[in-house]
C-alpha cells in the first residue's frame, strides 16, 4: 500500500531527494489515502511552508474518497457524517490555499472489485460525487471553480468488451448532465470526467490458473480503453494474481502491448469511434438509464450517507459479489482455464519471472523496528507541551461542525504530532465507524 507515514518527519525524509528542479513547486505528488487524507494534505502543505514554497504553487492528487471505503474497501476510521465533514474541510482548504491541487480522485473501481455490478458502480460513483460537490456548495464555494479539481482514479472494469465501452460513454454523459442540470455549472471543464484511464478489465478479471492468459485479457481491456476515449494501456500485468510485485517480464509485456496498440494498430486515432452506432448508442442509453434508476432510489433514501448508514449499499455489493461467484461456479459464466477448457490436454504456458531487488533482505527485516525507534526518538525530541496544546485545540474545534479543522490539523502536524495522535483525538469526538451487518 505504500510507506509508513507517522509524522511530518517521515515526509521530510521521503522528499529529501526532491529539491532544485524536483522541488515541490515543480512536481505533482499523488497520495493514495482516504480516512486520514486531511492529515496527509496538511503534511504536504507544512513541508512546502518549511521550504518557503507558496501553497498556491503545489500540484498533486490525494485520493480523498472516503465514502467509497464504506462500500468497497473498508479502510475507514470515522462514521460517514464526520468523514464527509473532513472532506469538506479539505475541499475548502485546497480551493482557497492550493488551487492547483486536485481535491479528490473518486474510485468506482474499488466498489466493482468488491463485487458491485456495472449499474451499481456507475450509480454509486455518481452519488458519491454528488455528495462531495454538495459539500462544496454548502460551504459557499463557487462550483465552477472547485469542480474542475475533481478527478476519477478509475471506474471498475470487466471482460465484457462492448459494455465497458458503453459504460464509459454513459459515465461521461451522466456526470456532465448532473453538473449542468443539478448544480448549474457553466464551466465546460467542470463537466468533464478527468481520469487517466477509461475502460479496462479490472484486476479481479485476472486468474491464478494459466496466468499468461491474463495478457490476452489485458489486451482486450486496452482495446476497450482505446475505443472509449482513453489510452490503450495493457493493464494489469499478467502476474497480478500471483502476489504483490509484478515481474520485469510482465512489466515489459505491458509496455510493449500498449506500444503495439498505439504505434502499430493505430488505436486511439479517433476518440469515440462508436459514435452513431445504433448498437453502441442504445447500450449506452440502457446503462445510463439503469444507473439513473438506482441513483434516484438512493436519493429517495436520503442520499449516499444515509444509504451507507443503513447498510443498503454494502449489502447490495455483497449480494452482487455472491451472485457473480455463483454464476461462475454453476458455469452460467465461463472463465477460460478456470471453469472450462481445463482438460488434461490443456497446457499451462510458463515464462521466466524475475524481480528487481530494491531492498536487501536485512533492511527489509529491520524496517519495522527502525521505524519504531525513529518514532520514539521523535517523541522524545519534540516540544510535547506544544503538541498537547495543539491537540487540545483540535479536540475543542472538532466538536463544532461549522469550524474548518484544516488550520488545527496543520498546527498539529507542524509540531510533529503523529498521525495516530491526531486520529485518536478525532476518534474521541467523532467516534468510530462500525462495519455494516450483512
Amino acid at each position: 500500500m505504500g510507506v509508513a507515514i507517522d509524522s511530518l518527519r517521515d515526509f521530510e525524509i521521503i522528499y529529501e531527494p526532491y529539491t532544485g528542479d524536483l522541488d515541490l513547486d515543480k512536481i505533482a505528488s499523488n497520495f493514495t489515502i482516504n480516512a486520514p487524507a486531511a492529515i496527509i494534505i496538511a503534511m504536504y502543505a507544512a513541508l512546502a511552508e518549511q521550504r518557503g514554497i507558496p501553497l498556491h504553487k503545489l500540484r498533486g492528487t490525494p485520493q480523498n474518497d472516503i465514502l467509497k471505503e464504506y462500500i468497497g474497501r473498508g479502510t475507514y476510521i470515522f462514521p460517514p457524517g464526520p468523514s464527509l465533514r473532513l472532506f469538506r474541510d479539505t475541499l475548502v482548504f485546497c480551493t482557497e490555499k492550493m488551487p492547483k491541487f486536485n481535491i479528490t480522485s473518486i474510485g468506482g473501481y474499488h466498489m466493482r472489485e468488491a463485487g458491485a455490478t456495472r449499474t451499481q458502480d456507475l450509480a454509486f460513483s455518481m452519488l458519491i460525487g454528488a455528495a462531495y460537490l454538495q459539500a462544496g456548495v454548502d460551504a459557499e464555494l463557487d462550483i465552477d471553480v472547485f469542480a474542475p479539481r475533481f478527478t476519477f482514479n478509475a471506474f471498475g472494469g470487466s471482460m465484457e468488451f462492448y459494455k465497458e465501452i458503453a459504460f464509459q460513454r454513459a459515465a461521461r454523459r451522466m456526470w456532465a448532465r448532473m453538473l449542468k442540470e443539478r448544480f448549474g455549472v457553466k464551466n465546460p471543464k467542470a463537466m468533464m470526467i478527468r481520469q487517466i484511464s477509461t475502460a479496462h478489465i479490472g484486476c479481479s478479471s485476472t486468474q491464478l490458473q494459466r496466468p499468461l492468459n491474463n495478457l490476452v485479457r489485458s489486451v482486450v481491456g486496452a482495446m476497450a480503453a482505446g475505443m472509449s476515449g482513453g489510452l490503450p494501456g495493457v493493464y494489469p500485468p499478467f502476474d497480478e494474481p500471483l502476489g504483490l510485485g509484478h515481474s520485469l517480464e510482465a512489466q515489459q509485456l505491458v509496455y510493449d502491448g500498449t506500444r503495439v496498440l498505439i504505434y502499430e494498430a493505430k488505436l486511439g486515432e479517433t476518440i469515440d469511434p462508436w459514435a452513431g452506432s445504433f448498437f453502441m448508442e442504445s447500450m449506452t442509453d440502457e446503462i445510463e438509464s439503469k444507473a439513473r434508476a438506482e441513483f434516484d432510489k438512493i436519493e429517495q433514501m436520503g442520499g449516499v450517507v444515509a444509504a451507507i448508514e443503513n447498510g443498503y449499499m454494502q449489502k447490495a455489493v455483497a449480494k452482487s459479489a455472491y451472485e457473480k461467484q455463483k454464476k461462475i461456479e454453476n458455469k452460467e459464466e465461463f472463465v477460460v482455464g478456470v471453469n472450462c477448457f481445463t482438460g488434461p490436454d490443456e497446457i499451462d504456458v510458463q515464462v521466466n519471472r524475475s524481480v528487481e531487488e530494491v531492498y536487501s533482505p536485512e533492511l527489509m527485516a529491520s524496517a519495522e523496528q527502525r521505524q519504531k525507534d525513529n518514532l520514539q526518538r521523535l517523541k522524545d525530541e519534540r516540544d510535547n507541551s506544544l503538541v498537547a496544546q495543539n491537540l487540545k485545540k483540535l479536540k475543542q474545534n472538532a466538536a463544532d461542525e461549522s469550524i474548518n479543522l484544516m488550520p488545527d490539523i496543520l498546527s498539529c502536524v507542524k509540531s510533529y504530532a503523529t498521525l495516530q495522535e491526531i486520529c485518536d483525538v478525532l476518534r474521541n469526538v467523532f467516534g468510530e465507524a462500525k462495519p455494516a451487518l450483512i
Side-chain angles (χ1 to χ4, degrees):
M1 231 0 242
V3 63
I5 298 293
D6 297 320
S7 73
L8 177 60
R9 181 66 51 82
D10 292 311
F11 252 63
E12 293 167 352
I13 294 169
I14 288 170
Y15 281 94
E16 277 180 2
Y18 294 90
T19 58
D21 291 340
L22 292 175
D23 216 333
L24 303 188
D25 57 339
K26 299 178 180 66
I27 62 171
S29 295
N30 298 335
F31 307 111
T32 301
I33 195 67
N34 293 285
I39 303 169
I40 298 300
I41 293 170
M43 288 182 182
Y44 200 55
L47 183 63
E49 289 184 356
Q50 276 186 11
R51 297 185 176 189
I53 295 173
L55 298 188
H56 70 265
K57 291 187 175 182
L58 296 181
R59 293 181 297 117
T61 306
Q63 195 165 109
N64 199 20
D65 176 17
I66 187 57
L67 293 180
K68 64 96 172 49
E69 294 294 326
Y70 302 97
I71 305 165
R73 227 168 49 125
T75 60
Y76 48 77
I77 301 174
F78 317 112
S83 292
L84 190 55
R85 181 256 183 104
L86 284 175
F87 176 88
R88 177 206 67 189
D89 293 351
T90 61
L91 169 55
V92 172
F93 180 82
C94 290
T95 301
E96 294 179 349
K97 306 291 185 183
M98 298 160 59
K100 293 182 180 179
F101 203 78
N102 290 326
I103 295 156
T104 180
S105 190
I106 300 168
Y109 166 81
H110 304 84
M111 294 182 284
R112 185 96 73 97
E113 290 291 287
T117 64
R118 193 174 292 105
T119 296
Q120 290 166 341
D121 177 0
L122 182 52
F124 294 178
S125 296
M126 294 295 122
L127 283 156
I128 288 170
Y132 294 156
L133 291 166
Q134 191 62 51
V137 171
D138 292 344
E140 300 182 349
L141 297 176
D142 184 346
I143 193 168
D144 279 297
V145 172
F146 73 79
R149 305 317 305 177
F150 278 39
T151 72
F152 286 74
N153 70 60
F155 293 98
S158 76
M159 287 297 299
E160 295 188 274
F161 180 78
Y162 299 118
K163 290 182 179 179
E164 294 306 331
I165 295 172
F167 175 96
Q168 295 293 329
R169 302 175 84 249
R172 290 195 291 267
R173 197 165 65 186
M174 196 169 176
W175 180 256
R177 181 176 286 127
M178 182 174 70
L179 270 288
K180 185 176 183 178
E181 296 178 1
R182 176 170 175 165
F183 290 99
V185 164
K186 298 179 178 61
N187 182 358
K189 287 188 176 181
M191 302 178 201
M192 294 173 58
I193 285 183
R194 299 170 60 225
Q195 59 176 340
I196 193 170
S197 62
T198 51
H200 59 99
I201 64 169
C203 289
S204 59
S205 294
T206 62
Q207 306 299 328
L208 185 63
Q209 299 91 331
R210 307 225 289 268
L212 202 57
N213 286 346
N214 295 327
L215 177 59
V216 179
R217 296 183 175 105
S218 294
V219 169
V220 169
M223 291 182 67
M227 294 186 188
S228 58
L231 179 74
V234 178
Y235 187 85
F238 77 84
D239 54 5
E240 169 71 23
L242 301 183
L244 291 175
H246 302 127
S247 66
L248 296 176
E249 291 81 1
Q251 292 179 51
Q252 186 65 51
L253 288 169
V254 163
Y255 303 144
D256 282 347
T258 303
R259 292 160 179 162
V260 167
L261 291 177
I262 294 173
Y263 293 102
E264 297 183 30
K266 306 293 194 293
L267 200 60
E269 286 190 344
T270 181
I271 292 176
D272 189 11
W274 289 92
S277 159
F278 174 80
F279 168 73
M280 186 58 68
E281 297 293 359
S282 60
M283 187 178 292
T284 301
D285 290 343
E286 181 182 2
I287 289 172
E288 183 180 10
S289 176
K290 288 181 177 179
R292 183 73 233 185
E294 182 68 9
F295 183 102
D296 291 341
K297 178 181 178 180
I298 293 175
E299 284 281 272
Q300 290 171 5
M301 295 180 191
V304 63
V305 171
I308 290 170
E309 290 175 338
N310 68 25
Y312 169 80
M313 297 173 88
Q314 299 93 312
K315 291 174 184 176
V317 170
K319 182 181 180 182
S320 297
Y322 171 77
E323 290 175 348
K324 179 179 180 180
Q325 184 61 28
K326 192 174 179 180
K327 286 181 179 179
I328 294 172
E329 293 176 5
N330 292 339
K331 295 189 178 181
E332 296 174 54
E333 291 188 2
F334 296 105
V335 183
V336 173
V338 177
N339 66 356
C340 60
F341 305 105
T342 58
D345 295 332
E346 304 289 345
I347 299 173
D348 185 1
V349 181
Q350 301 285 334
V351 298
N352 291 331
R353 293 182 66 238
S354 53
V355 179
E356 182 180 9
E357 185 176 290
V358 180
Y359 299 105
S360 70
E362 294 78 14
L363 281 174
M364 289 294 290
S366 64
E368 181 178 354
Q369 189 57 52
R370 286 186 287 113
Q371 182 70 8
K372 289 179 178 178
D373 292 343
N374 289 338
L375 181 56
Q376 187 57 56
R377 191 176 306 114
L378 171 78
K379 290 182 176 181
D380 292 340
E381 294 174 351
R382 69 187 183 182
D383 184 344
N384 283 296
S385 61
L386 180 58
V387 171
Q389 176 184 323
N390 289 334
L391 290 172
K392 181 179 179 180
K393 185 181 178 186
L394 174 63
K395 184 176 181 180
Q396 290 172 343
N397 287 338
D400 184 346
E401 189 176 347
S402 67
I403 297 177
N404 190 309
L405 294 181
M406 283 302 291
D408 295 314
I409 293 173
L410 190 56
S411 295
C412 290
V413 162
K414 289 179 178 179
S415 63
Y416 294 95
T418 67
L419 186 145
Q420 180 174 342
E421 288 170 332
I422 296 169
C423 287
D424 283 347
V425 164
L426 296 177
R427 279 186 182 94
N428 289 333
V429 179
F430 299 154
E432 286 191 342
K434 304 299 180 185
L437 296 177
I438 297 174

